[in-house]
Every structure is written in structure tokens, then in C-alpha cells.
């Protein structure tokens, strides 16, 4: 963590959990704890709860994210949500290319790229998720897989002077499994990603990119992960669903 260069971000991805009332209640509890946190705090509720949660977090230190977006502003795309709709509802961030979308919903590096461009055009901060599967790690492909996801995801993206980007390293084998990567594995990958970012993006954007770790982050391991030199935050799934548990993570 290097707070002098980058304000750490701890983000909760609520995935397909919580009705509107459940989301509002958790968001209210979180607003009460977030003010004293030494990090920026963000939550990504399901689409159905965005408007109601936006009303709770507006003007508070809790930022709002969507879990995905379509790259077109509007159109005949049944079931999709556009960047215009997300900024209208009050989102500042959007998660893009989560491994669950890549695994179960046909997300590719090309669609990730289109979504990143759309997010930036609408001044939404993209959280680009990358990560290797267990089989890829075992066959020593981790770094080539991550390099491809980064390079293809960011290829030709027209960053502006005021653009922001967040990258989340989420090893697929550590998501929801209770198997956290070791701090050595995390630091090794984050240092590699930092190198890719430095090579691909211009300063000062490159220096401002925060790299989050995600995969079975919990109160018990948050502090050792956050203390790694190239870790700028965490993307938390299961342990962000309870405000009391998430509170212990944001106050690691
Ligand atoms: P878990 O924290 O439940 O492992 O999920 C991580 C994740 O996928 C966050 O986006």
C-alpha cells in the first residue's frame, strides 16, 4: 500500500445478493462506519437496488458502483443497462470483466474493452477485473494470461487527462472458495501488473491506477493483504454482505 501516491480503495461486490430493502439497510449501516475508515469505501449492489442505495450514500464517503454495463448509450438490447443509466442513477464506478461474467456470461477481452471505453466516455471509473484459473496457475500461465487480459482490455482505449482506472486482481481459484492467495503470490502478481500498467499507460494516469486484490478477503486476512507494497485495496465479495464484517475489513 502506498497511500502517499494512491488512496486505498476497499470495494464490496454484492453480486446477486440482497433485495432493495436488504441493500438499503446494509448501506445505511455502512454509511455510519465508513466515515472513520482510513480508505475510500465503495459498494456495488445489484442493479435493482442502485437507485435506493444511491439515495442512502449520496453525500457520504461511500461510493456507488454497478457490477456491469453495456457499451451503447441506448437501444434495443433487452436486459442490458447503459452507462447513461448508471451515471443518471448516481454511480461513480463500474466493475468490468469480473471472472463470473467471463465464466458464465460469455464475456471476452473484446467486450471488456468496449465496456471500458464506454465507462470512460461517461466518466465512470472502470474496475477492470483480471485473474487466472487454477489450471492456468498450475500450468505456469498466470503471467501470460494476466498480460493478455490487461493488454486486450486496454488496447486503444482513449484515456483523457482526467480519466481514472482501477484494476482488480482476482485469482478465479480464490473467489468464494475460502482459498486466499498467499501474500507472496499477491505481491508478485501486483508488482507484475504495476509493471504492465507503467509500460502501457502514460504518467500520471499510470501512477494513479489502484490495484485491488479480490478472492476470499475477510477481517482475518485484510490487514496482511493491505500491507503488501503493491496492494492498493481490496474487492470483497461474501464478506461485504454484512456491514459488521465489512466494517472490520475497511478498518483493517
Ligand atoms: P469473495 O470475497 O466472496 O471470494 O469474492 C471475491 C469477488 O469475486 C469480488 O468481486
Amino acid at each position: 500500500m502506498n497511500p502517499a501516491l494512491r488512496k486505498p480503495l476497499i470495494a464490496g461486490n454484492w453480486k446477486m445478493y440482497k433485495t432493495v430493502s436488504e441493500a438499503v439497510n446494509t448501506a445505511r449501516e455502512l454509511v455510519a462506519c465508513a466515515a472513520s475508515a482510513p480508505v475510500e469505501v465503495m459498494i456495488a449492489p445489484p442493479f435493482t437496488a442502485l437507485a435506493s442505495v444511491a439515495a442512502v450514500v449520496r453525500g457520504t464517503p461511500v461510493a456507488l458502483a454497478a457490477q456491469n454495463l453495456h457499451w451503447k448509450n441506448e437501444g434495443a438490447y433487452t436486459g442490458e443497462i447503459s452507462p447513461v443509466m448508471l451515471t443518471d442513477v448516481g454511480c461513480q464506478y463500474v466493475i468490468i470483466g469480473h471472472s463470473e461474467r467471463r465464466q458464465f456470461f460469455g464475456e471476452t477481452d473484446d467486450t471488456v474493452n468496449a465496456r471500458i471505453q464506454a465507462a470512460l466516455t461517461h466518466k465512470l471509473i472502470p474496475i477492470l477485473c483480471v485473474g487466472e484459473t487454477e489450471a492456468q496457475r498450475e500450468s505456469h500461465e498466470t503471467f501470460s494470461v494476466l498480460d493478455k487480459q490487461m493488454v486486450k482490455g486496454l488496447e486503444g482505449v482513449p484515456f483523457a487527462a482526467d480519466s481514472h482506472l482501477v484494476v482488480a486482481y482476482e485469482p478465479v481459484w480464490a473467489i468464494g472458495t475460502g482459498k486466499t492467495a498467499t501474500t507472496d503470490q499477491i505481491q508478485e502478481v501486483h508488482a507484475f501488473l504495476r509493471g504492465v500498467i507503467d509500460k502501457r499507460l502514460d504518467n500520471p494516469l499510470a501512477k494513479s491506477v489502484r490495484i485491488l486484490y479480490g478472492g476470499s478477503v475477510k477481517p482475518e486476512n485484510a490487514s496482511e493483504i493491505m500491507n503488501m507494497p503493491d496492494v492498493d485495496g481490496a474487492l470483497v465479495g461474501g464478506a461485504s454482505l454484512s456491514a459488521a464484517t465489512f466494517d472490520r475489513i475497511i478498518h483493517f
Side-chain angles (χ1 to χ4, degrees), residues 6 22 37 61 65 83 91 170 200 206 231:
R6 297 174 280 275
E22 288 165 349
C91 289
E170 298 205 314
R200 296 265 152 196
V231 172

Side-chain angles (χ1 to χ4, degrees), residues 148-218:
K148 179 167 166 281
Q149 290 175 344
M150 291 289 291
V151 170
K152 293 248 175 208
L154 298 176
E155 200 162 53
V157 171
F159 287 99
D162 60 349
S163 292
H164 294 283
L165 173 70
V166 176
V167 171
Y169 168 53
E170 298 205 314
V172 178
W173 48 272
I175 294 177
T177 57
K179 273 198 225 172
T180 322
T182 66
T183 46
D184 284 350
Q185 287 171 327
I186 297 171
Q187 172 55 30
E188 185 186 32
V189 167
H190 280 230
F192 170 79
L193 293 173
R194 176 62 54 205
V196 175
I197 290 163
D198 284 344
K199 206 161 65 188
R200 296 265 152 196
L201 303 181
D202 293 336
N203 269 322
L205 172 65
K207 289 277 165 288
S208 76
V209 174
R210 289 171 290 183
I211 309 176
L212 317 184
Y213 169 76
S216 299
V217 175
K218 8 179 206 288

Side-chain angles (χ1 to χ4, degrees), residues 11-15 17 95 98-100 129 168 170-171 174-179 213-218 234-241:
N13 174 9
W14 289 355
K15 307 192 180 184
Y17 292 97
I95 297 171
H98 192 282
S99 64
E100 287 151 13
C129 299
E170 298 205 314
I175 294 177
T177 57
K179 273 198 225 172
Y213 169 76
S216 299
V217 175
K218 8 179 206 288
L235 184 53
V236 186
S240 72
L241 294 171

